[in-house]
Amino acid sequence: MSLTGIAIRRPVMTWVCFFALAALGLFTLTRLSISLTPQVNIPIVTIKTIYPGSGPDQVETLVTKPIEDAISTTNNLKEISSVSMEGVSFVMAEFYMETSSEVAATDVREKLAAIRSRLPDDVEEPEVLKLDINAQPILYVGVFGPDLREVYQLADQTIKPALQTVPGVGNIDLLGGLKREIRVEVFPQQLVHYKMDLTGLVNRLAAENINLPSGRFNLSDLEFSGRLNSEFLSPEEISQLIVPDMERATGRARQIHLESLALVKDTFAEARDKARINAQDAVALIIQKQPAANTVKVAQLVREEIKRLEGRIPPGYKIQVIVDTSPFIKEAVDDVKNNLILGVILTGLVLFLFLHSLNSTLIVSLTIPISLIGTIFFMYLAGFTLNVLSLSGLALCTGIIIDCSIVVLENIYRHFRDLKKPLLVAVEEGTAEVTPAVMASMLTNIVVFLPIVFTTGIVGQFFKEFGLVQVFATAVAMATAFTLLPMLASRLLTERQQSPWAEKWESTFSRFREEYKKILEKALHRPGIVLLLALSLLTGSFLLIPLIGTEFITEPDQGISSIAVRMPPGTNLRRTEETVNLLENRIKEIPESEQIFATIGRISGGAITAGSVGSEYASIILKWKDSRRRSASQILAEIKPFLAEIPGATFSVAEVSSVVGRGSAAPFMMYVTGQNWETLLPSGEKLLTALRETPGVSDADISYHPGKPELNFVVHRERLAQFDLSPRTVALNCRAALEGLVATKFRQKDQEYDLRVTIPEHYRSRLDILANLPIKNSLGDLYLLGQVASFQETKGPTVRERYNRRPSVTLTAHVNKPLGDVVSSFRKKAAGLDLPPEISLESGANIKLMSEAFRDMAVAILMAAILVYLVMAAQFESWKEPFVIMGALPLAGIGILTTLFLMGKTINIFSLLGTVILVGIGVNNSILIVDFSKNLIQKGSNPVSAITQAASTRLRPCLMTSLAAGAGALPLALATGKAATLRSPIGATVLGGVVSSTMLTLFVIPALYLLLVRRQKK
């Protein structure tokens, strides 16, 4: 007995199986995490190394290059990029996709351990991290109060630890405020008087402030642990510290109180960055979620914890959520859910229109929610999330789900009504007759996604959930079509008297079918003309490609924008803050403005960019109101003329994106590499000029900005040798004077604070004071800095970059045209420049992702077509007939390109994904026509008559399945809600492809098959 026969004869068992699947789906629905897009994991390892007080050149030479050389031999390494900034080295190593991030990070740590001794002694331990491209901030929280020092302590010691205990919270960055510090400000004249230097005082303070175990002591039956604790208890105790010094003349030790040498202050560290929220100084907490956490749930739990914390903070202090990205994600997901529901309703209307029977419509419609809910259960087992792509996959599945159900039910109805068979016989025989064709159609829907599922690149990771959702839904749909639907048909299908409107519909459709049959019969007498017309339409549609444009992703409007500020090199923090203040006052006047979050002294990068650090940099994050008529890009266009009027500043304006970790980084990014800086920098300037002249480009910039003032201490080696001094000793004393050296940690109530030794601030800008800075050699002889070094004012770069261990500069820009078009135009301009042969252009960020994604999608589409062909070849036991069936695929291309052009969409990875879908569903109608035609011809019918009869007989299921697929895609194509730019290209592609392939398949495929049959007979 067939599976269909078992389902018909055991209806209770059939119901139990599907009720159980639906119950599991409903149970797991609430357990699925919510996110905007699927997680994408690119194996990238970052190495961040702090080298205090050093410039970009020194960082590059002494830190970055040794690290690059060490990790360059790591297995499966794809590329290395690095940025050397003031006091910081940032090296990023990207590995091939098949590499485990854990293994890559471990290998990098081993390589670094081998060369740690070659790095400067005062370099901090390199920090090796696995980069999580999904780790975008989900919340920006501000803490306000009258005293910024207390605000910082409150945020650092109370709020941050409490929020880190919230389930799902990952890293929390703290910006702004005043961090407590114990500072020992030493008077240089007193050092000279007592024949001491700064580094000697640093070493003494470190030796005094210790807490060390001293072993064990046994007394009778007791064992005591020995400990020597001489840690400082208060700043007053530090000022009273006795600093012994040996007088060489008398050979006796002198006891010098620290307060006679220095002023001990309980103060705060020098502010190198600041945070402002709505033009008010504050401390900001930037909260990221853990990779697998539910964004919406984490944000909700954090808000609840903030409410609880509000009762614990002192009066006059306030905690406020400034930016929350979770509402956008929740609304985007809810919009797709609504599209899904609307698609189901439209599909039901299509069914009722053709079946004009509530019973028949109910039979097919019941399979939709059961299949969708059952699919959710398999999504949970696979570890998927509810995101725009997985839900869009479900929305598009509605057409596929009922595709096989429509074919089965329509054939059952034909056997029951037209052939007058008993109901049970009609159900079994009608189902069995179309089982091969339905199986072939459903298998093509499954195999088209296998290349994507098994792709290791970003396409595979990004679209794996979408593809497997389609596979799960198709498998469940086949199960319902061959079991649940026949069982329901055997109970609910009746031959009732049709209503007047139904009879009129049937009469109209019969006339339409007869007209189609006549036109098709005439077309089959001239099949060559039919094919020529189709080829002309296809050629014309390809001419639209340059007008459509290509890009990686059309970014959604999340209601958050950013303005990156770069002042002239050397600009101090105060001057940069004044510029930010101008911007804040202007932005306040914009009615759509809701929150303004500014950081001064740094620009945060995206997940795959390093950002910028320095007093000349600032960043402003703008949160726009949800209820607004203008888009974020329209508001930014209003701001740009004002920015152009601010002298000396360079601005980069962008919309913040949560997609694939771009953040606020520019979408256009290219690396210019060369053998040396002498040829690289002029070439970079030429290319920057070409980029600025490229249509569609705005805010073009280059990463190399010379002109940062530097004070070089030029040592005289002969005198150093004469005085038994080393450059290192001189350098450490210079650093102590200008930046300060952290001698030790001051501990109080389980908290640690830096104890920094330096000179008073007003002395640091006086060259005469620096020239008389004392330096002591190993014998205790004292010399002055002016005796061994001279001062030289120079200018240096603000940043040094390297790409694959070659000097590089980065070209960045924002675009107002499709990214692919801009890249193509720029490369043409660059090819016309007279550049040295060693200069090369390398794609970065979105450009590299786009090229890799397009390559992978092209391979996936090709492999999908091959797999569809093989499935049909096996089904029809023929190598030639599948070629005829696949003739429908180019016909879908006509509708795809035309619809994208008319709707203003671009060719991107989402529209290409829609193309993959059409490879599967685009051949379904062809299968029905060819399969039935073949059966009739084998029974002895004339080829033209057989093909005409087959096409006209299958006209109803062809139109029903196509309209159902179009109904599922229509809400996505016309989507206007949150993240509509992500999902609408998929819907538009499927909708356009279904329309064109259906209209042309009804004529082109019969013509192609007729030519094949005639050739075979010859």
Side-chain angles (χ1 to χ4, degrees):
M1 186 181 294
S2 66
L3 184 62
T4 301
I6 295 173
I8 293 171
R9 288 162 179 79
R10 302 194 61 182
V12 175
M13 183 192 73
T14 305
W15 274 120
V16 166
C17 292
F18 283 97
F19 276 147
L21 182 61
L24 290 171
L26 291 172
F27 175 73
T28 55
L29 178 61
T30 58
R31 296 174 176 265
L32 289 174
S33 295
I34 298 175
S35 60
L36 182 62
T37 56
Q39 291 185 23
V40 176
N41 296 309
I42 301 177
I44 296 177
V45 177
T46 61
I47 306 107
K48 182 180 178 181
T49 311
I50 306 297
Y51 188 16
S54 56
D57 286 333
Q58 293 75 35
V59 171
E60 179 188 34
T61 303
L62 301 176
V63 180
T64 302
K65 283 185 178 180
I67 290 177
E68 286 182 345
D69 293 340
I71 67 173
S72 62
T73 57
T74 309
N75 290 332
N76 296 319
L77 181 65
K78 184 178 180 182
E79 63 181 44
I80 303 175
S81 59
S82 66
V83 179
S84 301
M85 296 176 282
E86 185 178 348
V88 182
S89 166
F90 185 87
V91 180
M92 185 166 66
E94 181 179 347
F95 295 80
Y96 289 102
M97 282 291 185
E98 60 271 16
T99 308
S100 165
S101 296
E102 295 282 351
V103 173
T106 302
D107 290 346
V108 167
R109 289 189 184 97
E110 290 177 356
K111 299 290 185 182
L112 289 177
I115 57 104
R116 180 64 180 89
S117 58
R118 290 167 48 195
L119 300 178
D121 293 339
D122 45 348
V123 163
E124 296 183 10
E125 194 66 27
E127 183 181 9
V128 179
L129 296 173
K130 295 175 298 179
L131 183 67
D132 179 17
I133 202 169
N134 308 288
Q136 292 292 317
I138 62 171
L139 286 168
Y140 292 79
V141 178
V143 186
F144 308 86
D147 185 346
L148 275 182
R149 178 169 152 174
E150 293 297 324
V151 170
Y152 184 90
Q153 285 194 275
L154 177 66
D156 186 45
Q157 299 175 17
T158 303
I159 299 173
K160 181 179 177 180
L163 295 181
Q164 283 178 325
T165 63
V166 174
V169 169
N171 186 51
I172 299 180
D173 286 333
L174 214 60
L175 294 179
L178 300 175
K179 185 178 180 181
R180 186 186 180 191
E181 180 179 88
I182 308 299
R183 189 180 304 153
V184 179
E185 295 187 347
V186 186
F187 302 109
Q189 303 91 330
Q190 295 298 97
L191 285 176
V192 175
H193 175 74
Y194 289 109
K195 294 185 173 15
M196 302 178 67
D197 66 358
L198 289 171
T199 54
L201 189 57
V202 167
N203 294 333
R204 186 65 197 181
L205 287 168
E208 289 285 343
N209 188 48
I210 61 171
N211 186 349
L212 295 174
S214 305
R216 294 183 296 275
F217 173 71
N218 294 308
L219 180 63
S220 297
D221 296 332
L222 298 176
E223 181 178 274
F224 296 83
S225 295
R227 177 168 294 278
L228 190 153
N229 186 353
S230 66
E231 290 185 333
F232 300 130
L233 300 178
S234 67
E236 292 76 18
E237 181 185 352
I238 299 174
S239 66
Q240 295 299 319
L241 178 70
I242 297 175
V243 183
D245 184 62
M246 185 68 67
E247 280 190 293
R248 297 184 63 187
T250 62
R252 293 183 301 175
R254 292 183 300 176
Q255 293 187 346
I256 306 168
H257 287 275
L258 184 60
E259 63 181 355
S260 61
L261 290 171
L263 183 64
V264 179
K265 292 183 176 180
D266 187 352
T267 180
F268 48 83
E270 180 185 4
R272 297 297 299 165
D273 59 59
K274 298 185 70 175
R276 291 163 61 91
I277 297 172
N278 297 324
Q280 180 181 351
D281 288 339
V283 172
L285 294 96
I286 303 176
I287 303 172
Q288 297 175 346
K289 73 176 184 70
Q290 294 172 358
N294 185 328
T295 303
V296 175
K297 187 174 182 180
V298 171
Q300 180 185 351
L301 292 175
V302 169
R303 283 181 174 274
E304 292 174 359
E305 182 63 22
I306 288 174
K307 286 184 179 179
R308 192 182 67 81
L309 287 169
E310 287 174 348
R312 294 171 48 190
I313 62 176
Y317 292 82
K318 182 176 68 172
I319 313 174
Q320 181 182 352
V321 175
I322 307 303
V323 177
D324 184 355
T325 61
S326 65
F328 171 82
I329 295 173
K330 186 177 184 302
E331 290 176 31
V333 171
D334 288 342
D335 284 343
V336 186
K337 290 179 182 177
N338 294 334
N339 292 156
L340 173 58
I341 295 170
L342 182 58
V344 171
I345 294 172
L346 290 175
T347 303
L349 291 175
V350 169
L351 292 176
F352 186 72
L353 184 65
F354 277 90
L355 300 176
H356 40 260
S357 166
L358 287 176
N359 284 0
S360 300
T361 304
L362 181 64
I363 291 170
V364 179
S365 298
L366 275 176
T367 64
I368 299 176
I370 291 175
S371 299
L372 293 178
I373 295 171
T375 302
I376 289 172
F377 171 64
F378 292 107
M379 288 173 58
Y380 175 78
L381 292 181
F384 294 170
T385 63
L386 289 178
N387 55 67
V388 170
L389 278 174
S390 61
L391 287 173
S392 296
L394 281 177
L396 291 172
C397 278
T398 55
I400 297 173
I401 288 171
I402 68 167
D403 192 350
C404 49
S405 298
I406 288 173
V407 174
V408 171
L409 183 63
E410 196 274 339
N411 208 49
I412 290 172
Y413 199 66
R414 186 173 67 88
H415 278 254
F416 177 56
R417 186 187 61 183
D418 299 341
L419 303 181
K420 306 301 182 181
K421 294 181 181 179
L423 182 57
L424 290 180
V425 176
V427 169
E428 284 199 64
E429 292 184 0
T431 303
E433 185 179 68
V434 294
T435 294
V438 170
M439 288 288 291
S441 296
M442 294 301 102
L443 284 175
T444 59
N445 294 334
I446 290 175
V447 298
V448 294
F449 292 104
L450 294 181
I452 289 181
V453 170
F454 293 106
T455 299
T456 57
I458 189 172
V459 167
Q461 294 193 46
F462 205 67
F463 293 134
K464 180 180 180 181
E465 293 189 17
F466 184 96
L468 284 180
V469 164
Q470 300 275 335
V471 172
F472 297 154
T474 303
V476 176
M478 281 197 296
T480 57
F482 295 141
T483 56
L484 181 63
L485 184 139
M487 186 273 291
L488 291 172
S490 67
R491 266 61 180 178
L492 300 177
L493 198 61
T494 59
E495 190 172 8
R496 295 181 178 178
Q497 184 67 31
Q498 291 186 346
S499 62
W501 78 267
E503 291 180 354
K504 187 174 181 181
W505 167 266
E506 281 298 321
S507 175
T508 304
F509 184 78
S510 296
R511 289 197 301 271
F512 172 73
R513 182 164 52 191
E514 288 302 318
E515 288 298 320
Y516 163 68
K517 189 174 181 179
K518 292 177 183 178
I519 296 172
L520 177 61
E521 192 170 357
K522 292 180 180 178
L524 291 180
H525 286 96
R526 286 185 168 79
I529 295 178
V530 174
L531 297 182
L532 183 61
L533 288 174
L535 185 61
S536 301
L537 290 173
L538 183 62
T539 303
S541 65
F542 276 103
L543 297 177
L544 296 174
I545 292 179
L547 303 176
I548 295 172
T550 59
E551 62 182 345
F552 180 54
I553 286 174
T554 303
E555 300 289 355
D557 183 352
Q558 294 190 213
I560 305 172
S561 304
S562 72
I563 301 176
V565 184
R566 177 173 57 82
M567 301 295 289
T571 304
N572 60 29
L573 206 66
R574 179 188 57 78
R575 178 69 185 89
T576 305
E577 186 175 5
E578 290 175 358
T579 302
V580 170
N581 188 43
L582 283 175
L583 289 175
E584 289 172 333
N585 292 333
R586 175 64 182 87
I587 294 167
K588 284 180 184 178
E589 299 173 0
I590 299 174
E592 293 91 346
S593 175
E594 183 176 352
Q595 301 284 356
I596 305 172
F597 168 55
T599 56
I600 304 160
R602 69 164 67 182
I603 298 175
S604 298
I608 53 177
T609 53
S612 302
V613 177
S615 58
E616 66 266 34
Y617 295 104
S619 174
I620 303 175
I621 303 293
L622 308 171
K623 173 69 172 67
W624 308 116
K625 294 176 181 177
D626 290 331
S627 55
R628 52 189 163 91
R629 293 184 178 180
R630 294 190 297 176
S631 67
S633 58
Q634 290 173 325
I635 301 171
L636 293 176
E638 177 188 328
I639 299 175
K640 285 186 177 181
F642 174 77
L643 300 180
E645 296 174 0
I646 299 177
T650 302
F651 300 95
S652 179
V653 181
E655 295 180 49
V656 176
S657 171
S658 298
V659 182
V660 200
R662 188 176 69 80
S664 57
F668 182 99
M669 181 183 293
M670 297 192 81
Y671 302 110
V672 186
T673 66
Q675 296 293 344
N676 53 67
W677 292 102
E678 288 71 22
T679 58
L680 174 63
L681 295 180
S683 300
E685 289 297 329
K686 288 182 181 179
L687 288 166
L688 176 62
T689 302
L691 179 60
R692 286 173 174 162
E693 295 173 352
T694 302
V697 166
S698 64
D699 303 330
D701 201 0
I702 192 169
S703 59
Y704 184 86
H705 306 295
K708 184 175 179 64
E710 290 184 351
L711 180 64
N712 276 343
F713 298 93
V714 183
V715 295
H716 307 303
R717 296 188 180 276
E718 298 81 3
R719 294 185 184 178
L720 289 179
Q722 179 184 349
F723 299 150
D724 191 26
L725 289 171
S726 67
R728 173 177 169 76
T729 303
V730 176
L732 287 176
N733 276 279
C734 291
R735 180 186 295 174
L738 296 180
E739 182 177 309
L741 291 177
V742 177
T744 183
K745 297 288 185 180
F746 175 70
R747 294 176 178 83
Q748 191 175 62
K749 295 181 181 179
D750 298 327
Q751 298 295 324
E752 289 187 346
Y753 308 98
D754 288 344
L755 195 158
R756 185 180 300 272
V757 177
T758 185
I759 63 176
E761 184 176 1
H762 60 278
Y763 284 164
R764 295 179 209 164
S765 58
R766 292 177 54 183
L767 291 180
D768 59 322
I769 295 293
L770 294 177
N772 290 294
L773 190 71
I775 301 174
K776 208 171 184 180
N777 66 11
S778 59
L779 300 176
D781 299 320
L782 196 71
Y783 301 94
L784 301 180
L785 178 60
Q787 293 179 270
V788 296
S790 57
F791 307 131
Q792 184 179 13
E793 292 186 14
T794 61
K795 292 184 178 180
T798 58
V799 66
R800 288 283 201 190
E801 293 183 354
R802 291 166 61 82
Y803 183 77
N804 285 334
R805 303 169 68 190
R806 300 178 71 198
S808 72
V809 293
T810 304
L811 297 174
T812 58
H814 293 282
V815 296
N816 49 43
K817 290 179 63 177
L819 180 60
D821 296 354
V822 172
V823 173
S824 177
S825 299
F826 171 68
R827 285 193 178 276
K828 289 179 182 177
K829 286 182 175 291
L833 297 177
D834 183 20
L835 300 176
E838 67 270 18
I839 298 297
S840 64
L841 270 173
E842 304 288 345
S843 299
N846 271 18
I847 300 176
K848 183 174 69 173
L849 290 176
M850 181 178 70
S851 60
E852 292 179 357
F854 275 36
R855 179 199 63 206
D856 291 345
M857 287 298 289
V859 172
I861 292 171
L862 178 62
M863 288 302 301
I866 292 173
L867 290 174
V868 168
Y869 170 79
L870 293 176
V871 168
M872 290 188 295
Q875 179 66 35
F876 288 95
E877 197 59 33
S878 169
W879 295 107
K880 297 178 180 179
E881 289 175 358
F883 279 114
V884 174
I885 295 172
M886 295 186 70
L889 299 184
L891 305 179
I894 298 171
I896 291 172
L897 295 174
T898 303
T899 305
L900 291 177
F901 173 73
L902 293 176
M903 296 186 68
K905 310 297 181 185
T906 61
I907 298 174
N908 54 53
I909 58 173
F910 289 101
S911 51
L912 290 177
L913 179 61
T915 306
V916 174
I917 298 171
L918 285 169
V919 172
I921 66 176
V923 298
N924 290 347
N925 291 338
S926 302
I927 291 173
L928 292 176
I929 294 173
V930 172
D931 180 63
F932 199 12
S933 300
K934 183 178 181 181
N935 290 336
L936 293 176
I937 293 172
Q938 288 175 346
K939 292 178 181 178
S941 298
N942 175 269
V944 174
S945 300
I947 294 172
T948 304
Q949 183 182 346
S952 60
T953 302
R954 295 302 187 208
L955 180 61
R956 183 192 296 267
C958 285
L959 292 178
M960 288 176 67
T961 55
S962 297
L963 287 173
L970 184 62
L972 290 178
L974 302 179
T976 57
K978 303 288 185 180
T981 54
L982 296 182
R983 62 186 186 274
S984 61
I986 306 177
T989 302
V990 173
L991 181 63
V994 165
V995 170
S996 67
S997 66
T998 301
M999 293 174 62
L1000 296 174
T1001 292
L1002 294 174
F1003 295 96
V1004 175
I1005 297 304
L1008 274 174
Y1009 190 58
L1010 178 61
L1011 292 176
L1012 176 65
V1013 171
R1014 286 176 176 174
R1015 185 172 182 180
Q1016 287 175 338
K1017 286 188 175 182
K1018 291 180 181 179

